[in-house]
Amino acid sequence: MDEERFVFEALTRFNYFPNQKQGVGEIPPIFNSRRFTPEVVLRIIQEPDACDERAKDPESNKTGRPSKGFDFVEYASTRYNNVPRLLGIPHPQAYGRLAKCISENWEHMRGICDNESSKIKPYFHVDKRLVVMNYDSFREKVLEKSQTSFGKRYLVNTDVASCFNSVYTHAIEWAGMGEEEAKRQLRVKDNGNKHWSKDLDKWQRNTRRLETQGITIGPATSTVIVELILGVVDERLREEEYEFVRYVDDYVCYCKDSSEAERFLQKLASELKKFKFSLNLSKTKVEPLPAAIQTDWVAKLHAALPQKVGEGKKYDTDDTIHFLEYAISLNNQTPDGSVLKYAMQQLIHLLDGDWIRVTTDYVTNLCWHYPLLLPYLGMIFEKHEVQHSDYEERLNQIIIENSKNGRSDGMCWPLYFISKHGLTLNTLAEAAVINSQDCLSMCILMHITGWTENLQLAFETLSELDVYQRDRQWVFLYQAFIKGYIPNPYKSPVFEIMREMDVDFMPSEGNESLAESYCTHLEFADSFEPEHGPYTFEEFLQRSHA
């Protein structure tokens, strides 16, 4: 498989919905974009944006204005401080155009994979994702710091303030061709040799109603754009021979003295400013070396880890609870750190199964306060013999509580557990989900209950809203459409084309669409069809139907 095809598949099938973490994902695994293949994209992006619907001028009653782009689904993912971080899922037509633009121009952008300063950069991963947030192991950090910090006296830590939300999309062009050239091309009326970065800017804006400020957190396309821009900043810092690394938007630099540390911050701030970024001063710190590799709370947690006992070398239940009690205390003292989540990560695979009920009860109660722990409760449900019905009422209560604060993960994960383990969703929790109008939560609700009168009323309300507000619910609307519950909510045939190609964002396991099978064919065609080679998609469909 060539690089362009790998990137296209990665962006559409594996890095479309928020799915960049290593291990526990951002959204429940009931959602999956594997059926949203490049072949699907190539068909839907040919369709017009239905300008008569998206850009109608009510005063003049004209329908010919250019589209104002698309809106996107929001998913509020709770952080360690219980403040939601808004992730997004762009409309498939808008996202398809952006993904195609990146893949067909990959030869101009692939340098971001080789940026020696970036530690979380795009890479051709075995699981077919392009972006995975896989931070270095402790041993790798020790090795790197020991080599880089030798002979240095100061350590600088800083980050880009609100990085993804601060991206100025025209800075994509500045990074791609230089600011002066980008401004020169603005003065050229008929530019037959349009630079690829102009299209990237255009299609990125199209995913967010043509806004020039901010890009959606979640899809890998956004990481590619950030790496493209900050890669230019990194290059200019390396020209000054600073010894630094960057973790997405976090910079770490080792300096010979305090003057060099100050110059590094000034240079970084100056280069960021050229792309309309700024430093986060509240997270900027200069400290003398030597300094601990791990932050203070991480070191304390490791020191407090209980001893493994028994033949299976598991954590004793009492010691597990004591450790989590300590983590709660440490969490209350630590304003900037995911203490409880990190603590759960250390324990989850080695819990003692003999008294798992005690641990499960304790973790369930923690989840009511901290929704980011819900995926770990799911891992306990999966790995241990737990009477799931014992937690039915508490899962319903967690849904109701999180609906009040608009926390998508606090509703989606309990709904997923209820669906997966055949539990009962009570009427109060059902009403809470519908009242929240949280898109992905309503999708799982529909999966549990089928099409109810309450969901029909919710749909009728959405039908009266403008097209951009419908875009904010497009996943729910599409899943209802392919089930036959509602007519096409748009004038555009995009949903109909996707349905014809068997796209389902909540697919059953092991059931491949023909478009998915074609992706597998392309991957192995040279081995299994050595004389013919890969078929076109149309040829593949004909052979499949023969």
Side-chain angles (χ1 to χ4, degrees):
M1 185 186 300
D2 62 33
E3 287 192 359
E4 180 179 332
R5 176 70 192 193
F6 184 100
V7 171
F8 206 172
E9 277 197 38
L11 295 179
T12 54
R13 300 185 65 202
F14 306 108
N15 274 135
Y16 178 12
F17 282 31
N19 182 30
Q20 294 189 18
K21 292 183 180 178
Q22 189 174 37
V24 176
E26 292 91 332
I27 62 176
I30 194 171
F31 296 102
N32 195 305
S33 65
R34 59 181 168 84
R35 293 191 177 186
F36 189 65
T37 73
E39 284 61 48
V40 174
V41 168
L42 291 175
R43 289 196 176 180
I44 65 174
I45 63 177
Q46 297 176 24
E47 296 298 324
D49 289 357
C51 294
D52 58 327
E53 178 182 34
R54 288 185 173 273
K56 186 175 180 180
D57 184 342
E59 294 183 2
S60 64
N61 203 34
K62 293 180 180 179
T63 60
R65 286 197 295 123
S67 166
K68 289 185 177 179
F70 299 77
D71 216 322
F72 60 94
V73 169
E74 288 186 343
Y75 180 84
S77 179
T78 313
R79 306 181 72 186
Y80 56 85
N81 54 6
N82 274 350
V83 175
R85 186 189 197 200
L86 291 180
L87 309 180
I89 307 174
H91 188 282
Q93 190 176 23
Y95 182 77
R97 288 169 175 157
L98 177 59
K100 181 177 182 293
C101 178
I102 289 175
S103 63
E104 68 184 4
N105 291 293
W106 184 248
E107 62 178 312
H108 304 298
M109 288 179 264
R110 75 166 319 282
I112 62 178
C113 297
D114 303 319
N115 182 352
E116 62 189 73
S117 304
S118 177
K119 303 299 289 186
I120 312 291
K121 51 181 173 275
Y123 180 75
F124 301 98
H125 294 276
V126 175
D127 65 5
K128 300 183 181 178
R129 286 186 289 177
L130 185 65
V131 176
V132 178
M133 296 295 176
N134 53 344
Y135 290 85
D136 292 339
S137 69
F138 180 64
R139 289 185 179 183
E140 290 171 333
K141 287 181 180 178
V142 171
L143 181 61
E144 179 189 319
K145 181 171 181 178
S146 299
Q147 294 173 345
T148 311
S149 66
F150 184 81
K152 307 298 191 302
R153 295 192 179 278
Y154 284 88
L155 171 65
V156 179
N157 282 283
T158 188
D159 72 7
V160 182
S162 302
C163 181
F164 286 80
N165 291 324
S166 296
V167 170
Y168 179 57
T169 64
H170 293 333
I172 297 171
E173 298 177 44
W174 303 345
M177 62 175 121
E179 185 177 2
E180 291 304 316
E181 176 62 18
K183 291 180 177 178
R184 187 194 70 80
Q185 289 204 16
L186 284 176
R187 298 190 294 270
V188 179
K189 293 183 178 180
D190 184 16
N191 190 352
N193 298 315
K194 184 168 63 173
H195 196 271
W196 58 267
S197 61
K198 294 181 74 68
D199 280 336
L200 184 54
D201 175 8
K202 170 186 174 181
W203 296 126
Q204 169 55 49
R205 284 184 284 115
N206 193 50
T207 66
R208 292 172 62 101
R209 299 182 67 167
L210 306 189
E211 294 174 2
T212 57
Q213 191 70 39
I215 59 177
T216 305
I217 302 172
T221 51
S222 297
T223 302
V224 169
I225 288 170
V226 166
E227 288 296 315
L228 185 69
I229 298 173
L230 292 185
V232 177
V233 174
D234 295 345
E235 184 177 355
R236 292 170 182 172
L237 292 172
R238 287 196 299 271
E239 289 172 356
E240 301 290 329
E241 299 185 348
Y242 290 112
E243 295 194 49
F244 71 98
V245 291
R246 174 173 56 81
Y247 297 86
V248 187
D249 56 357
D250 295 325
Y251 281 87
V252 178
C253 183
Y254 299 95
C255 302
K256 296 176 182 178
D257 51 41
S258 59
S259 296
E260 184 180 22
E262 185 176 342
R263 289 196 302 275
F264 170 76
L265 286 172
Q266 290 174 345
K267 177 65 174 177
L268 176 57
S270 173
E271 294 300 332
L272 290 174
K273 186 177 181 181
K274 294 176 182 177
F275 296 100
K276 293 190 177 292
F277 284 128
S278 61
L279 285 179
N280 187 341
L281 297 180
S282 66
K283 291 187 177 180
T284 298
K285 183 170 63 173
V286 178
E287 59 182 322
L289 292 170
I293 294 173
Q294 294 177 314
T295 56
D296 186 51
W297 63 265
V298 172
K300 288 180 178 179
L301 279 180
H302 277 283
L305 267 173
Q307 294 294 313
K308 299 169 188 173
V309 298
E311 293 182 4
K313 296 296 181 183
K314 304 287 186 179
Y315 292 127
D316 176 76
T317 300
D318 288 353
D319 289 343
T320 295
I321 302 302
H322 288 314
F323 177 71
L324 289 175
E325 290 274 282
Y326 176 68
I328 291 172
S329 175
L330 197 58
N331 184 75
N332 294 335
Q333 303 167 28
T334 308
D336 187 18
S338 190
V339 178
L340 284 171
K341 183 178 177 181
Y342 190 86
M344 284 300 304
Q345 289 172 343
Q346 307 311 305
L347 296 173
I348 196 67
H349 297 292
L350 294 171
L351 294 174
D352 178 22
D354 292 340
W355 292 94
I356 195 66
R357 172 63 188 261
V358 176
T359 305
T360 309
D361 276 17
Y362 190 87
V363 172
T364 304
N365 289 342
L366 279 180
C367 288
W368 189 88
H369 295 279
Y370 298 100
L372 85 168
L373 298 180
L374 281 163
Y376 299 98
L377 178 62
M379 293 175 72
I380 294 174
F381 284 170
E382 288 287 329
K383 289 176 173 289
H384 300 278
E385 294 184 8
V386 175
Q387 189 65 37
H388 302 111
S389 58
D390 291 344
Y391 301 94
E392 182 177 275
E393 180 56 31
R394 274 177 274 186
L395 290 173
N396 277 280
Q397 289 299 320
I398 290 172
I399 292 168
I400 294 168
E401 178 63 23
N402 284 283
S403 71
K404 299 174 185 176
N405 301 296
R407 297 170 181 157
S408 304
D409 55 349
M411 291 181 281
C412 279
W413 283 97
L415 283 164
Y416 169 63
F417 301 151
I418 287 172
S419 172
K420 184 176 181 63
H421 300 294
L423 306 179
T424 300
L425 182 73
N426 68 37
T427 54
L428 291 177
E430 179 182 347
V433 171
I434 292 176
N435 289 337
S436 74
Q437 293 191 333
D438 184 77
C439 180
L440 296 193
S441 297
M442 289 202 297
C443 287
I444 307 178
L445 173 65
M446 179 173 58
H447 184 76
I448 294 171
T449 65
W451 194 249
T452 63
E453 183 179 347
N454 288 333
L455 286 172
Q456 176 64 28
L457 291 173
F459 165 67
E460 290 172 1
T461 300
L462 287 173
S463 300
E464 297 174 359
L465 301 176
D466 68 43
V467 70
Y468 301 106
Q469 289 171 298
R470 272 176 270 162
D471 287 349
R472 295 169 69 85
Q473 298 287 345
W474 77 259
V475 182
F476 168 68
L477 293 172
Y478 179 73
Q479 291 301 126
F481 170 67
I482 63 173
K483 295 290 185 183
Y485 298 143
I486 63 172
N488 186 351
Y490 297 102
K491 292 182 180 179
S492 164
V494 165
F495 275 17
E496 292 163 5
I497 294 170
M498 288 167 59
R499 182 178 62 182
E500 289 170 6
M501 298 187 73
D502 207 15
V503 175
D504 186 345
F505 294 104
M506 302 175 72
S508 56
E509 291 184 15
N511 187 11
E512 271 195 348
S513 67
L514 282 175
E516 283 184 275
S517 297
Y518 180 66
C519 293
T520 304
H521 163 72
L522 290 181
E523 186 176 0
F524 297 105
D526 290 337
S527 299
F528 293 101
E529 299 278 353
E531 296 181 359
H532 184 278
Y535 292 96
T536 65
F537 185 52
E538 288 70 24
E539 291 172 338
F540 182 82
L541 292 179
Q542 289 174 2
R543 286 172 59 86
S544 299
H545 291 137

